[in-house]
Amino acid sequence: MDHEAQRRRLAEAMERRGDWPVGSPWVRRAVEAVPRDGFAPDRLWEWDGHRWVSVERGADPERWGRVVYAGPDEAAVTQVSEGVPSSSLSCQAVVADMLDCLVLEPGRRVLELGTGTGWNAALLARRAGPGRVTSVEVDPGLAAAARERLGAAGVRVAVRVGDGVAGWAPGAPYDRVIATYAVERVPWAWVAQTRPGGRIVTPWGHLGHVALTVAPDGRSAVGRVQGLARFMPARGTGRTPDFRQVRGDGPAEDERPLCRDPGPLRDDPHLRFALRVALPRLRITTGTDADGVSAWLHDGTSWATLSALGPGRTVAHQGGPRRLADDLERAWDDWLAHGRPELYEYGMTVEPDRQYLWCRDPVTGPRWRTADRAAIGPRPPGVSPVRGRGRRASRG
């Protein structure tokens, strides 16, 4: 069937929300020229509330198209491994935002990490030009399928099989580098393979993406957070135990009143980002009932519940090696003491032997070292990506 009506509805939804980047009109033109459905496999996956179920193009093309064009913030899951999504056709609004952040001009040489379906590579090639994009994919099967789709669309992209952590040295140096999966630490190879003054855009920590500019001497890359969204982790990151596994069946080791409303943990993306920076291994899930907002915390080994008991009453139960409710309150207080900075006031500096996040100023602002390994897995099924729109007057 023709999916033109579904394409149009998604484009109009993005128009209403202001998702099409004003400063990069080429992004919308590229999306219109290279439709998503041309790069989606015949089998997609949809969460039915309990598990991931397949949606076959041949059996139900209308439903398949609804998955591809579900909404600006909805990814189409294209691969499930051991019951967990391992590849997707990314949310169209996030794709547009990251391409805008790349500040890509025609003729630039681009390295993409994480080919996936090949759609993002095709969009890059529409702007950069034929033969200017190299894309690296760790999964040989996905790489082969992407090559086939790119060829069918008449798009010239060099798809290589390899681990994106190493970049792709044979084609270096690149003017632009973009990753389609989240990393806890930006691999130094990405900086080393980008020319001085070049730009790197990557998701960080499954909760946002940063745009870094390589210094004139090539010995560092610095930039700011540009948007908020959840991303899949690099392949091989491993699964994190869920809250129930960490909690177990034993009694809580500590119980106390919580002297604050957990509501902002659900509603304030800037607070959630600040907590992610300060407590990189912490996972937060919230829920709402008649008593108010409750939260469930864990870091893979310790746990806490913040249970709403009615207006103005919340109790914390916790267990494990750390007291996560206490850690969360301290990090929350620090964020308040710094004047409630928005996520767009955070940035990152990457050097050969260290990297850190900072707030407001890379030299004088507070700093947090990035985690070597964080026990953060893929986003929970059914949780829609959250995308922030910042006051980005310039792409600094």
Side-chain angles (χ1 to χ4, degrees), residues 54 63 92:
S54 63
R63 182 183 175 193
Q92 186 158 294

Side-chain angles (χ1 to χ4, degrees), residues 245-259:
Q245 293 171 307
V246 177
R247 169 66 177 87
D249 300 322
E253 299 168 11
D254 180 72
E255 176 183 342
R256 66 174 176 83
L258 188 77
C259 299

Side-chain angles (χ1 to χ4, degrees), residues 313-368:
R313 296 179 59 216
T314 304
V315 63
H317 296 87
Q318 44 193 345
R322 302 186 59 146
R323 295 293 177 256
L324 293 184
D326 300 1
D327 290 349
L328 179 139
E329 285 201 285
R330 281 191 290 268
W332 194 331
D333 287 340
D334 286 344
W335 177 71
L336 294 173
H338 289 135
R340 302 173 183 259
E342 295 189 354
L343 65 100
Y344 303 103
E345 297 180 77
Y346 288 84
M348 176 182 286
T349 295
V350 178
E351 298 172 347
D353 57 351
R354 65 172 184 166
Q355 54 187 263
Y356 53 89
L357 288 107
W358 41 265
C359 183
R360 296 198 175 107
D361 188 279
V363 176
T364 62
R367 296 181 180 184
W368 299 263

Side-chain angles (χ1 to χ4, degrees), residues 47 71 95-96 126 135 154 166 263 362 380:
W47 183 251
V95 168
R126 289 284 302 187
S135 186

Side-chain angles (χ1 to χ4, degrees), residues 5 31 35-36 60 67 76 110 126 149 207 228 287 311 314 320 342 359:
V31 168
R36 283 168 67 87
D60 193 342
V67 174
V110 183
R126 289 284 302 187
R149 295 188 191 103
L207 199 58
L228 180 62
T314 304
E342 295 189 354
C359 183

Side-chain angles (χ1 to χ4, degrees), residues 19-103:
D19 286 333
W20 294 115
V22 175
S24 302
W26 70 266
V27 173
R28 184 169 189 174
R29 293 195 297 267
V31 168
E32 291 171 348
V34 187
R36 283 168 67 87
D37 57 271
F39 285 81
D42 291 337
R43 171 178 291 174
L44 298 174
W45 298 85
E46 190 173 39
W47 183 251
D48 70 355
H50 303 283
R51 61 190 178 92
W52 291 98
V53 296
S54 63
V55 179
E56 306 291 338
R57 183 175 194 167
D60 193 342
E62 175 66 25
R63 182 183 175 193
W64 181 90
R66 288 200 304 270
V67 174
V68 174
Y69 292 103
D73 291 332
E74 297 296 329
V77 174
T78 58
Q79 186 182 70
V80 172
S81 304
E82 299 180 357
V84 176
S86 53
S87 188
S88 70
L89 188 59
S90 298
C91 317
Q92 186 158 294
V94 173
V95 168
D97 194 40
M98 290 183 66
L99 292 176
D100 183 30
C101 292
L102 199 60
V103 191

